[in-house]
Structure formats: C-alpha cells, structure tokens
Amino acid sequence: MTTVALSELDHRLTRLLAGTGLDHADAERLATYFVDAEASGRTTHGLQRLAGVLDALEAPDRAPRPTTRRHSPSVWSIEADGELGLLAVQRAVDTALGAASPTTSVIGVTGFSGTTGALGYFTEQVARAGHLCVCIVACESGVAPAGGIDPVLGTNPLSVSFPASPDPVTIDISTSALSYGTLQLLAHAGKDAPPDTVIDHEGRVSLDPFAADTGAQLPMAAHKGYGLALMIELIAGTMLGAKAGRVAVPGSDGLLLLTAPVDLFRGEDIVATDAARLLAEVRQSRPTDPARPVRVPGERSALARRTSRAAGSVEVDPALWKALVCRTDPR
Amino acid sequence: MTTVALSELDHRLTRLLAGTGLDHADAERLATYFVDAEASGRTTHGLQRLAGVLDALEAPDRAPRPTTRRHSPSVWSIEADGELGLLAVQRAVDTALGAASPTTSVIGVTGFSGTTGALGYFTEQVARAGHLCVCIVACESGVAPAGGIDPVLGTNPLSVSFPASPDPVTIDISTSALSYGTLQLLAHAGKDAPPDTVIDHEGRVSLDPFAADTGAQLPMAAHKGYGLALMIELIAGTMLGAKAGRVAVPGSDGLLLLTAPVDLFRGEDIVATDAARLLAEVRQSRPTDPARPVRVPGERSALARRTSRAAGSVEVDPALWKALVCRTDPR
C-alpha cells in the first residue's frame, strides 16, 4: 500500500474532477466523498470507482440540470437529469438537512447516472444532524427471486444511520447475498464465490463469480432478502417512476431517502442515553472469538476514519494511486 | 385436520373472548384476527396463540386504559397500559387509517402485553387503503449479535405491505435466522434446527432448538440481520422508550408503524400499473423447479384466505379445535 497525505489526495482529486468541466463546488464535494471513502476503509466504493465517474463526467454534451420539486411540506423529488449519482444523493441529503423538518421528510431521486457510492456516507451525514436516516435504492437488475432463475431484481441496497456518540450507528447492506462490488472483487482475485450466492443461466448454484453476469446473484437469506429487494423495487422503483424489474418498467435507478428526528416521541437526551446503554451492552457482550469484540455496525469505518485523520494520511492501493498521479501529473 | 365453518369458528371465539370480560367490540376484533390467521394459513400466529391470549386476558385486576397522544400532525404514540398487543396494534392501524394523512404518518406503540400476532395482518389493512405500510417491533431478547454469544437483541420482526391488486404484496419476517415460532415448532416436533440458526450458552453452533432458550438464536444473514435487528431496537426501542437490549434499558416491547400513500410522488394509477407489470415479470420469471412458480410475498396467504372464504370453512389442527370446543361448550 502507498501512504498518501489526505490533503494531497483531496487536492489531486479536486483538480482532476474540476478539470472535467464540473462546477468547482461539485468537484470539491466529490473529492471529499472519495477521500472519506478511502479514509474510512470503504475502498470498494472509493478510488476504485473513480475511473467510472470520470467516464460519466467526460460524456459529450453533458450539462445536467437537476430539478427539485416539493410535493408537500415534507416530500420532495429530484429529477437528476443525468447528474452523477454521488452528487444527486448529496443533493437529497442537503434538501433533507435544509428542510430541518420537525417531523419526517421523504426525498425521491431519479434520473441520476453512475454510482451512488457508499450509501452510508450519506445517511451518516443526516444522523450527525440528529436525524434517523433510511436510504434505499432500486438499481440495475442482477438478482433472482427466491425459487427463480431470472435476474429480475436489483441488489437493492439499504442503508440506515442512527445518531449516536461519538459516531452514528450505520448499516449499509445489499439485499443480495453479496454486493456486486464484493462479487467483482472475488472475480478479479480469481476466488470462488461462497455457496448459495450465485447461479448460472440454468439456475444451478455456481462457485464462479463471473457466472452471475450470465446467470444471477441470489438474495440474502433466501425469501427474506427476496422480499426486501422486491419491496425496495416497489417503493424506490414504482412509487418514484424509476426502473422496476429487468424489462417490466424501464427507467433509471431510483433512490428514496427518509429522515426523522430522533426526538419524534421523546427528548433527544433520553433517547441518546438509552441508545448509549444499548450500544454499551452490545459491545460488552461476550464475543465468540475472545480476540474479536462484538462490534457495532459502522464502528470499523469510524475507527479507520479517526486513525487516518489523526495520521493525516491513508494507505491507498498503489495501482489506483499511480493512476490518479498519472492523470493529475502528466509528464 | 378438522374442517370447521368460518362462521362457527368466529362465533365460538367471540363468545369465549367476550366471556373474559373483554369489551364486545374488542372480542369481535380478536375473533376476526384469529379466524383470518387460520384462513390465511398463518397458523403459527393463529389458534396456537389463543391460550396465551386468554391467560393475559384473565390476569387479575386487568383494566387497561390505553392513551393516544398526538405529537405533531402526523406523529402519534399509544401507551397501551397493558392492553393486548393484538388490540394495541389494531389501535395503531385505526389511528393511521383515521388520519387519512396526505403524507407519511408514524405511530409508536408501547406498554402492550402478549403477542402482537402476525404483523402482516395489520400492515395489509393499511395497504388495502392505498398506503405503503412498514411495521417494526423491538421485542424480547433472544438473538446474539453477529460474532457474539449473548442474546442481547430481539428477533425484531419487520413487516412491509405495498398496495397491489387483487391483494397487497406483504413481507413479514423476523431479523433472526428463524422466527421464535418456527423454532418452537421444530422443538416440539423433535426436529433439528437448521445449522447456523442456534448457539448454546458457550457460543457453539447447536442443532438443538431448545438450546436457544439457554443460549441464543442467530441473526439472519449474519451481520446483515444483526444490523437490521440493532436498528429496529434503536428505533422501536430507544426512540419510543421501550426495551433496548437484554438488560441495558428495561421496558415493554416497542412497535412502530409507518404509513405513506403510494401517490406521494405521482398518481396512484401509474404506480399501480408499474407495480402490476413488475409483479407479472416476477411471477412469469423462470422457476428453479418447474412445478413451483415464483411467488410474490403474501400470495400464499392471500390464496389460502380466498380458498377458505369460498369454501366457508378452514382446516384446523384437531387438538386446537378440541380445546376451543371444550372451552366454549363445557359439559
């Protein structure tokens, strides 16, 4: 791994992204995202995705004009008009935070292009402002229903963040047995997929991660993951007017963000006290392996981020770093 | 199995429940619930739970006075004051439906006693009125965190219903690998628990379903189910002031119901059309077993209910039926 100063990483990214003609503030937003993804160890959604983002930004005649529409005091939709997923989701977060709604708010996003990144990055921002945040995405199809062969549904991820000290509790999971990113990592490392994660085009369980490309991924926890994936596709797909199914309803991916202040029912302080007690009980509960204490979801990322920030640097994959240097420092 | 007329089942149940001193309308509500649970094949939450409900109703000095408080135009909490879970959840549903909120509504319920029943029965009622409905429950602890031994978390179920024709799509899942009801069925049938569903008090994987009583159940899909269970406990536990953890925050179970009209972003008709197309694609997709078409969640229950209603009768477990007859027809 190559040790890279966070400031240099941020600087190079901002310059590179601004060089695509992107608005400077947006270039900074994206750079902040990528730096945080690396610093917090979310590398499957970090620099590895940069090339794809640059491809999307360098498409000809690109001039997205996202529009935000308020449907009711607490409901918005954003038609991203081809804006990058990463920026469109940030727009949704900013809309939610700007609303400072005393109750729930719901924001739907459609028409974005490219990756949305690690959803936990976005839900955490809302949680740091004292709101519970749930985010679901109906995305490109690749997952078969339980008992089925055809990849009708997306990996349809779900992220939830809950305010806590010093960091929010955050889950960020696909409803498939493996996320597509994990499957790609296995494929490129020449490793087998775990059993019951992939089927081939005839529906036979396969250990070949590439088989998912012509066959399908399987849902997590069989019918439970299938049910969740279908619900996400109904909500973030059909309610928003985004894609639903592989062929049934064409459209872009759909994303729905739901926020609610944690003091919806009772004071923020007492909720925080009770949450801290619950999290302490979880952390202090007996681990199966004495060397590996029970973790709270999101803790690993938060710890990695703190360590990186304290050091002022992060360990980056050498090939990805070299590619970034070449792009920003051509000789 | 014993064939029982739905009308006789309903009549006997209403009489028996009213005989406990329960308000007649509440006795009818409960009878309707139990008849539907049997008719729709949700037998783990049907007559099998009647004895427990009767025990709760026959407790001395029982006179619950539930109170409903409106926190904001779309947020309510219900303190059930020991009212039966089944009636308290129905109260939450009626509050949501009565509100006819043009946007989301959120209802928290605490202080109920005994089972909430099959959550899908309640979320479906909301979906039949054109609203998406999500229900989560933070319930009695019995599930270990991923990588842990101690049963810190509840089986914390999640039900979601989405309006569709002729019946809503409904999922109703525990976030544990097995629901507690399923585990009990295995235990009493002398069957093994599937691998990776139960650990003993030392954290060793066990095939003995009874081991969960001194050990713990495992979450579904390892860290994913653990993450969902913890989030449900933070939301329906700490936000509402209900139990959180095994010892950290004592209290009753907590239930949260969230509703949103499906036309939050665009017309109900177009949402219904897109949902129907998605569901048709799912149903018409290739099954792994040609004899078993891919099903939409909730379809099996809906079909069983239609069949029972058409026949005017339902097949009931003979022992449970005999117990009901003895209680209502003593000689």
Side-chain angles (χ1 to χ4, degrees):
Chain A
M1 299 300 267
T2 305
T3 304
V4 178
L6 295 175
S7 55
E8 183 179 358
L9 183 56
D10 187 74
H11 186 70
R12 284 189 186 265
L13 283 165
T14 307
R15 192 146 49 93
L16 177 61
L17 291 159
T20 65
L22 199 64
D23 177 275
H24 194 78
D26 281 346
E28 284 180 336
R29 271 185 202 101
L30 283 182
T32 302
Y33 168 83
F34 281 110
V35 171
D36 190 76
E38 292 294 322
S40 62
R42 288 164 170 157
T43 51
T44 52
H45 288 83
L47 289 181
Q48 200 174 297
R49 305 286 181 120
L50 182 61
V53 165
L54 290 169
D55 282 351
L57 288 174
E58 283 156 0
D61 301 324
R62 199 188 137 71
R65 297 187 172 213
T67 47
T68 301
R69 182 176 156 205
R70 191 170 196 168
H71 298 257
S72 79
S74 61
V75 179
W76 291 260
S77 63
I78 297 173
E79 162 45 51
D81 190 36
E83 188 180 40
L84 276 182
L86 281 164
L87 293 171
V89 186
Q90 187 61 56
R91 194 176 290 277
V93 166
D94 294 344
T95 302
L97 294 179
S101 172
T103 174
T104 55
S105 55
V106 188
I107 297 129
V109 190
T110 52
F112 52 89
S113 67
T115 183
T116 56
L119 297 180
Y121 173 78
F122 299 102
T123 55
E124 266 183 23
Q125 291 179 51
V126 179
R128 288 189 197 282
H131 295 250
L132 162 68
C133 184
V134 179
C135 183
I136 56 176
V137 182
C139 62
E140 197 185 344
S141 291
V143 179
I149 299 176
D150 296 322
V152 177
L153 303 169
T155 53
N156 297 1
L158 160 74
S159 176
V160 187
S161 288
F162 193 91
S165 177
D167 295 289
V169 183
T170 298
I171 65 171
D172 185 354
I173 61 178
S174 64
T175 51
S176 47
L178 295 179
S179 70
Y180 189 70
T182 303
L183 200 63
Q184 291 291 100
L185 284 181
L186 291 170
H188 293 298
K191 291 184 181 165
D192 279 356
D196 294 325
T197 61
V198 171
I199 52 176
D200 68 15
H201 64 288
E202 299 286 345
R204 292 172 295 225
V205 171
S206 173
L207 300 182
D208 175 10
F210 285 111
D213 291 331
T214 47
Q217 292 183 248
L218 290 176
M220 72 169 187
H223 73 281
K224 295 188 181 187
Y226 158 48
L228 284 170
L230 180 61
M231 278 301 168
I232 290 175
E233 201 125 339
L234 284 166
I235 299 167
T238 68
M239 273 176 71
L240 293 179
K243 69 83 71 173
R246 189 168 48 156
V247 293
V249 188
S252 73
D253 292 358
L255 178 146
L256 188 132
L257 194 82
L258 170 76
T259 74
V262 290
D263 65 354
L264 215 51
F265 301 101
R266 58 195 201 124
E268 195 168 354
D269 289 355
I270 181 75
V271 173
T273 301
D274 283 358
R277 287 173 62 189
L278 170 60
L279 298 177
E281 185 182 348
V282 169
R283 290 191 177 101
Q284 287 155 18
S285 71
R286 289 180 299 156
T288 315
D289 174 353
R292 302 178 64 181
V294 175
R295 285 180 184 278
V296 164
E299 203 164 40
R300 197 185 305 254
S301 289
L303 186 64
R305 182 187 294 117
R306 279 176 202 287
T307 306
S308 289
R309 284 194 184 155
S313 63
V314 61
E315 303 295 305
V316 174
D317 177 278
L320 293 172
W321 174 243
K322 197 175 163 195
L324 177 59
V325 170
C326 285
R327 281 194 189 253
T328 45
D329 228 11
R331 272 161 240 246
Chain B
M1 300 299 269
T2 306
T3 304
V4 178
L6 295 175
S7 55
E8 182 179 359
L9 184 56
D10 186 74
H11 185 71
R12 283 189 188 265
L13 283 165
T14 306
R15 191 145 50 93
L16 177 62
L17 290 159
T20 65
L22 198 64
D23 176 276
H24 195 77
D26 281 345
E28 284 180 337
R29 273 186 201 99
L30 284 181
T32 302
Y33 168 84
F34 281 111
V35 171
D36 191 76
E38 292 294 322
S40 62
R42 288 164 170 154
T43 50
T44 53
H45 288 83
L47 290 180
Q48 199 174 297
R49 305 288 182 118
L50 182 61
V53 165
L54 290 169
D55 282 351
L57 288 174
E58 283 158 2
D61 301 325
R62 199 190 137 71
R65 296 187 172 212
T67 48
T68 301
R69 182 176 157 207
R70 191 170 196 168
H71 298 258
S72 78
S74 60
V75 178
W76 291 259
S77 64
I78 296 172
E79 163 44 52
D81 190 37
E83 188 180 40
L84 275 183
L86 281 164
L87 293 171
V89 187
Q90 187 62 55
R91 194 176 289 279
V93 166
D94 293 344
T95 302
L97 294 180
S101 172
T103 175
T104 55
S105 56
V106 188
I107 297 129
V109 190
T110 54
F112 51 90
S113 68
T115 184
T116 56
L119 297 180
Y121 174 79
F122 300 102
T123 56
E124 266 183 23
Q125 291 179 50
V126 179
R128 287 188 196 282
H131 295 248
L132 162 68
C133 184
V134 179
C135 183
I136 55 177
V137 182
C139 62
E140 197 184 345
S141 290
V143 180
I149 299 175
D150 295 324
V152 178
L153 303 169
T155 53
N156 296 2
L158 160 74
S159 176
V160 188
S161 288
F162 193 91
S165 177
D167 294 290
V169 183
T170 298
I171 65 173
D172 186 353
I173 61 179
S174 64
T175 52
S176 48
L178 295 179
S179 70
Y180 190 71
T182 304
L183 200 63
Q184 291 293 98
L185 284 182
L186 291 171
H188 293 298
K191 292 186 181 166
D192 279 356
D196 294 324
T197 60
V198 171
I199 52 177
D200 68 16
H201 63 290
E202 299 286 345
R204 292 171 297 224
V205 171
S206 173
L207 299 182
D208 175 9
F210 286 110
D213 291 331
T214 47
Q217 293 184 246
L218 290 176
M220 73 167 186
H223 73 282
K224 296 186 181 188
Y226 158 47
L228 283 170
L230 181 60
M231 278 299 167
I232 289 174
E233 200 125 340
L234 284 166
I235 300 167
T238 68
M239 274 176 70
L240 293 179
K243 67 84 71 174
R246 188 170 47 157
V247 293
V249 187
S252 72
D253 293 357
L255 178 145
L256 187 132
L257 194 81
L258 170 77
T259 74
V262 290
D263 64 354
L264 215 51
F265 300 101
R266 58 193 202 126
E268 196 168 352
D269 289 353
I270 181 76
V271 173
T273 302
D274 283 358
R277 287 173 63 189
L278 170 61
L279 299 176
E281 184 181 349
V282 168
R283 289 190 177 103
Q284 287 154 19
S285 72
R286 290 180 300 156
T288 315
D289 174 352
R292 302 178 65 181
V294 175
R295 285 182 184 277
V296 163
E299 203 164 42
R300 197 185 306 254
S301 289
L303 185 65
R305 182 187 295 117
R306 279 176 201 288
T307 306
S308 288
R309 284 195 185 155
S313 64
V314 61
E315 303 295 305
V316 173
D317 178 278
L320 293 172
W321 174 244
K322 195 174 165 197
L324 177 60
V325 170
C326 284
R327 281 195 188 253
T328 45
D329 229 9
R331 273 162 238 245

